[in-house]
Amino acid sequence: MAMQILATMKGQFQAKELLRRCRGFSQVADRETIAHEIESPIPKMPLFDYAPPPYDGPPAAEILQKRKQFLSPSMFYFYNNTPLNLVDGKMQYLYDDTGRRYLDAFGGIATVCCGHCHPDVVKAIVNQTNRLQHSTILYLNHAITDFAEALASKLPGDLKVVFFTNSGTEANELAMMMARLYTGCHDIISLRNAYHGNGAGTMGATAQSNWKFNIVQSGVHHALNPDPYRGVFGSDGKMYAKDVEELITYGTSGHVAGFFSESIQGVGGIVELAPGYLPAVYSSIKKAGGLCIADEVQCGFARTGSHFWGFESQGVVPDIVTMAKGIGNGIPLGAVVTTPEIAEVLTRRSYFNTFGGNPVCTAAGHAVLKVIEKENLQENAHVVGSYLKERLNSLKDKHEIIGDVRGRGLMLGVELVTDRQLKTPAKVETLHVMDQMKEMGVLIGKGGIFGNVFRITPPLCFSKEDADFLVDVMDYTMSKM
């Protein structure tokens, strides 16, 4: 009780001291600044019981020099003025070469789902590596079949056949080829603002000029994006679906290979598809003889909280599901899951992937599934994600620069605009806030065609305390602008 009284007295003294200083200033702006100091103390990061071992590697400047000299110049990095040299990680936190801790609210681009260096996943990787690092799927090994069985059990309907790849781009390339082989048609329909990869075929399905090179990209039609915030029909999913019908009628022979969509657009700025959109589109695609492909690379594996797979939120069952990122918690791994009938098309010729199904990668993937279930990470993503979204919406009420808060679970987006009516992208301000949040210990991503959307996709072990710290830091930073 005595300690509480002392703390109260100390707080009152600090407030009086700030007000005394305020009387000494002649300008109103200075008074408001000091008053704000009373109201907005600097947020403090939650306590965490881990200390990384001392770093004895090369300094950041040396790494940056070698990166510029030996790596492709296309490989950009965040925080150009002071790029981070991250050397350690534990659960939802990352550490730089000085030992400073950061709250990771980006999760390696929605990839780290269980947490950095989760002991169960690390153990599975080490144990398998000690026994057999690689052979080939030309021989038998239980790691790949055990994981395939476990993965198939998480999918609805007749989605039971798994083909492992090394990445999401590879998975999407394979899905497109399978749809074309199965239907005998070439035309694919995807959405504007979509990102499906940067391979020869997936670049065609991607619909953002930022990610498209001037190369031949044929056979893909881009439908209106069912974006509730910027789309022409608002949240009316069925109106957007009519555009797909028109694309089939006017842009194809009347028959298509398939329809490709993310359940929540990740690179595009965490855009959740308008309600009712997928059921209507799937119906049109089926009538045109096509297959429905769900890209779950970013929103799969319990990230949305309400469901294990993003497409489930609209009550549909795809013909093909692609996945990567969260599947391996950082291990290079992807997969295509489809029905036995569709899977047969790959037997017409030889189709092979040297590293797809590598025992170390599949052992890691199996461990990830077990951790998600054991630690109830889907439920945590729902509870903490809902809480975080509610707090971000409260922040929107406070700061005019926030135009929209969207997403579900721990896949959330915050779009910044300089004018709410015109929805003018706040590009410079986004970079500023992002940089200042890093200085205060919070790492977030950004996306959207204009680069003005914060992408919040942390490890699924994120806590409410972490959510509070993230929002408080964002609030503090915006209040200082």
Side-chain angles (χ1 to χ4, degrees):
M1 185 68 178
M3 294 297 292
Q4 291 178 337
I5 294 173
L6 286 172
T8 301
M9 291 175 64
K10 182 179 179 182
Q12 291 173 343
F13 173 78
Q14 289 173 336
K16 288 177 180 178
E17 176 63 17
L18 284 169
L19 289 172
R20 184 189 67 76
R21 285 166 53 200
C22 186
R23 295 190 189 100
F25 289 104
S26 59
Q27 305 220 355
V28 174
D30 291 326
R31 291 195 193 99
E32 291 177 347
T33 299
I34 291 176
H36 183 73
E37 289 182 39
I38 302 173
E39 299 170 2
S40 303
I42 297 175
K44 292 185 179 180
M45 190 179 298
L47 297 175
F48 189 64
D49 188 19
Y50 175 76
Y55 174 70
D56 58 2
E62 182 180 334
I63 296 171
L64 184 59
Q65 181 182 6
K66 288 184 178 180
R67 177 171 175 145
K68 291 179 178 178
Q69 184 177 0
F70 298 111
L71 293 181
S72 168
S74 68
M75 296 183 181
F76 60 91
Y77 48 87
F78 283 162
Y79 315 114
N80 286 336
N81 293 329
T82 54
L84 280 175
N85 181 23
L86 297 174
V87 300
D88 208 303
K90 181 64 67 174
M91 302 309 288
Q92 66 268 46
Y93 295 103
L94 288 166
Y95 300 82
D96 67 15
D97 49 1
T98 70
R100 184 182 178 185
R101 178 163 58 108
Y102 297 87
L103 177 64
D104 181 12
F106 197 25
I109 316 180
T111 296
V112 180
C113 65
C114 298
H116 292 282
C117 300
H118 191 288
D120 291 6
V121 180
V122 171
K123 182 179 179 181
I125 292 169
V126 171
N127 287 346
Q128 182 58 54
T129 301
N130 283 334
R131 297 215 49 164
L132 182 66
Q133 186 175 349
H134 179 73
S135 54
T136 166
I137 57 169
L138 298 176
Y139 308 124
L140 301 183
N141 186 281
H142 73 89
I144 182 173
T145 52
D146 288 349
F147 181 39
E149 180 183 27
L151 189 57
S153 71
K154 303 295 292 185
L155 286 143
D158 205 23
L159 293 165
K160 300 299 179 188
V161 180
V162 183
F163 196 104
F164 290 113
T165 65
N166 304 295
S167 69
T169 293
E170 277 190 5
N172 287 338
E173 289 274 350
L174 178 57
M176 290 175 69
M177 184 176 74
M178 292 173 73
R180 284 168 167 161
L181 289 172
Y182 181 80
T183 62
C185 296
H186 185 68
D187 289 302
I188 296 279
I189 296 176
S190 71
L191 298 177
R192 295 177 188 176
N193 199 52
Y195 181 87
H196 295 293
N198 54 11
T202 51
M203 189 176 292
T206 291
Q208 295 185 52
S209 59
N210 302 339
W211 302 96
K212 293 168 78 72
F213 287 95
N214 187 24
I215 61 173
V216 175
Q217 299 167 42
S218 66
V220 180
H221 308 264
H222 298 113
L224 286 175
N225 190 31
D227 180 351
Y229 180 62
R230 288 187 177 272
V232 293
F233 299 122
S235 296
D236 192 337
K238 291 183 179 179
M239 285 297 293
Y240 292 106
K242 289 182 179 180
D243 184 55
V244 173
E245 287 186 12
E246 292 184 358
L247 275 178
I248 294 171
T249 300
Y250 296 106
T252 75
S253 65
H255 300 279
V256 297
F259 171 77
F260 215 150
S261 74
E262 303 160 89
S263 304
I264 298 178
Q265 293 176 337
V267 175
I270 315 297
V271 178
E272 195 170 4
L273 308 184
Y277 178 72
L278 286 183
V281 169
Y282 275 28
S283 176
S284 296
I285 294 298
K286 293 292 186 183
K287 290 176 183 176
L291 300 182
C292 299
I293 308 168
D295 181 338
E296 294 285 320
V297 170
Q298 292 199 33
C299 59
F301 291 89
R303 178 158 293 284
T304 61
S306 57
H307 301 86
F308 197 84
W309 306 107
F311 63 79
E312 292 177 302
S313 67
Q314 295 222 359
V316 295
V317 177
D319 300 295
I320 302 175
V321 181
T322 63
M323 57 197 75
K325 292 189 181 290
I327 191 175
N329 203 53
I331 285 288
L333 179 63
V336 177
V337 184
T338 189
T339 67
E341 183 182 7
I342 296 171
E344 281 291 319
V345 299
L346 292 183
T347 64
R348 299 175 188 175
R349 294 290 188 275
S350 295
Y351 189 84
F352 186 76
N353 188 313
T354 300
F355 295 106
N358 169 274
V360 175
C361 294
T362 49
H366 200 177
V368 166
L369 278 185
K370 293 175 181 177
V371 169
I372 290 174
E373 294 179 4
K374 183 177 75 172
E375 300 183 2
N376 296 315
L377 293 185
Q378 182 176 330
E379 175 67 13
N380 190 67
H382 175 65
V383 172
V384 176
S386 299
Y387 174 77
L388 176 54
K389 188 175 182 181
E390 183 179 338
R391 284 223 54 196
L392 288 169
N393 271 312
S394 296
L395 208 60
K396 177 186 171 185
D397 295 336
K398 181 177 180 181
H399 297 287
E400 280 290 318
I401 196 171
I402 298 178
D404 194 32
V405 173
R406 53 183 179 254
R408 63 173 60 206
L410 287 174
M411 189 171 183
L412 301 175
V414 178
E415 180 159 354
L416 303 192
V417 295
T418 56
D419 186 307
R420 282 191 176 179
Q421 295 300 316
L422 299 177
K423 301 178 181 177
T424 310
K427 302 177 186 179
V428 174
E429 292 83 354
T430 300
L431 288 172
H432 172 76
V433 174
M434 186 176 175
D435 189 71
Q436 291 303 303
M437 289 183 69
K438 183 265 289 186
E439 292 300 320
M440 296 182 68
V442 177
L443 306 181
I444 56 177
K446 72 179 182 70
I449 188 70
F450 306 113
N452 68 316
V453 183
F454 290 130
R455 296 165 64 188
I456 302 172
T457 55
L460 305 188
C461 54
F462 218 60
S463 68
K464 286 187 176 180
E465 291 74 21
D466 296 322
D468 283 332
F469 180 60
L470 184 157
V471 176
D472 290 345
V473 167
M474 188 177 289
D475 181 24
Y476 186 89
T477 300
M478 290 180 174
S479 298
K480 295 291 184 180
M481 291 174 66

